[in-house]
Amino acid sequence: MSLSGKVALVTGGSRGIGFAIAKKFSENGATVIITSKDSDRIKKSALEISNAVGIPADIKNKNDVKNVIEKILEKFGRLDILVNNAGIFPMIKPVHEIDEDDWNEVLDVNLTGQFRFTKEAIPHLQKTNGSIVNISSDAGLKAYQGFNADAYSASKAALILLTKCWALEYAKDKIRVNCICPGVVDTDMTTPFLKTQKDKEFMDNEHPIGRIGKPEEIAAAALYFVSDEASWTTGAILTVDGGESIK
């Protein structure tokens, strides 16, 4: 699936799923820009990916977001792909114990942040008939016992519906907007929940296919969505979760 000549922006691209997506795009010919608010980490990660540039940015800061898009246009003159991947995972608590500031921060990063980047990218994607991939979660598809009342689930569910809204709104511009809903993937974000062998075995068994996912498996789905092979695919919600959401 060649992405030769394409310019792709991956938010939260310094680690985990975002890093795997950026690497996969680069391996298939794209020039890749990754963002993260950790300036040291973004520099290190960009050096590990061919044809990659790292731009520090806080997704909660609209001026940072605008700066990223401006720098991409100045350096490369175009934008073809946006992957809205950046996100945070809060401590799991029942709703009556969640602090309002914590609730708002999760929504600001996981939902409003995706809006900020999409808003700034759309005018340039209109010129290239570009593609957007939103990284949601199977936590946005169904309720889970002990994990169904927090801002993470709310933000991921909202991103799924926004995918459909944006796909419908911008189909006339030949912009395709699709969404991936991963299950539990082996990344820095999930490490705190997999500290012991018992934790790992429990989480593996939660997935009917018998294991948690790998970042590269999410990257493979993202590559399909932004490739020409998916030219007739928009508004699609793809679960890549080892069957967890069908139980």
Side-chain angles (χ1 to χ4, degrees):
M1 297 183 187
S2 175
L3 300 181
S4 180
K6 303 288 188 181
V7 177
L9 168 60
V10 181
T11 70
S14 67
R15 60 182 182 172
I17 290 173
F19 180 83
I21 291 173
K23 189 170 185 290
K24 178 69 74 172
F25 286 3
S26 173
E27 290 169 349
N28 284 269
T31 297
V32 183
I33 297 88
I34 57 175
T35 68
S36 167
K37 67 179 182 180
D38 186 334
S39 58
D40 291 334
R41 183 151 195 163
I42 202 72
K43 290 177 183 177
K44 180 178 180 296
S45 296
L47 291 173
E48 297 175 11
I49 303 172
S50 299
N51 301 318
V53 175
I55 303 177
D58 184 348
I59 198 171
K60 296 186 293 182
N61 186 316
K62 66 180 182 181
N63 292 325
D64 278 9
V65 172
K66 288 181 178 180
N67 179 61
V68 170
I69 301 299
E70 288 172 0
K71 285 187 174 180
I72 291 172
L73 270 294
E74 288 173 6
K75 187 172 181 63
F76 303 108
R78 62 184 293 140
L79 179 64
D80 300 274
I81 297 164
L82 169 64
V83 179
N84 283 313
N85 166 75
I88 56 175
F89 191 85
M91 292 184 62
I92 299 172
K93 299 178 182 179
V95 68
H96 67 283
E97 295 180 6
I98 297 173
D99 182 83
E100 187 170 338
D101 289 340
D102 293 338
W103 173 277
N104 288 334
E105 182 180 21
V106 173
L107 290 179
D108 197 8
V109 174
N110 291 3
L111 185 60
T112 308
Q114 320 309 313
F115 155 77
R116 291 185 186 103
F117 269 104
T118 301
K119 171 184 168 64
E120 296 300 323
I122 284 288
H124 309 290
L125 296 175
Q126 286 173 322
K127 298 174 183 177
T128 58
N129 301 143
S131 178
I132 298 172
V133 178
N134 294 322
I135 306 300
S136 180
S137 167
D138 61 4
L141 293 168
K142 59 174 283 187
Y144 290 90
Q145 184 66 38
F147 183 71
N148 60 3
D150 65 26
Y152 183 82
S153 296
S155 66
K156 294 302 185 178
L159 191 57
I160 290 169
L161 186 56
L162 277 179
T163 296
K164 298 178 181 182
C165 292
W166 294 342
L168 191 59
E169 177 69 21
Y170 294 104
K172 64 183 183 298
D173 298 310
K174 303 297 187 293
I175 296 175
R176 296 181 299 103
V177 188
N178 294 292
C179 182
I180 301 171
C181 294
V184 177
V185 177
D186 188 6
T187 67
D188 291 355
M189 186 179 288
T190 59
T191 296
F193 304 97
L194 303 170
K195 291 181 178 178
T196 69
Q197 186 61 31
K198 185 177 180 180
D199 292 336
K200 293 175 183 177
E201 290 175 358
F202 171 80
M203 198 57 71
D204 284 340
N205 292 332
E206 282 291 293
H207 299 75
I209 210 164
R211 63 173 176 84
I212 64 173
K214 303 173 184 177
E216 294 77 15
E217 292 169 315
I218 311 305
L223 176 62
Y224 165 71
F225 273 144
V226 302
S227 72
D228 290 342
E229 281 82 352
S231 61
W232 205 50
T233 303
T234 194
I237 312 300
L238 177 63
T239 53
V240 185
D241 68 349
E244 186 179 21
S245 61
I246 60 177
K247 294 191 303 178

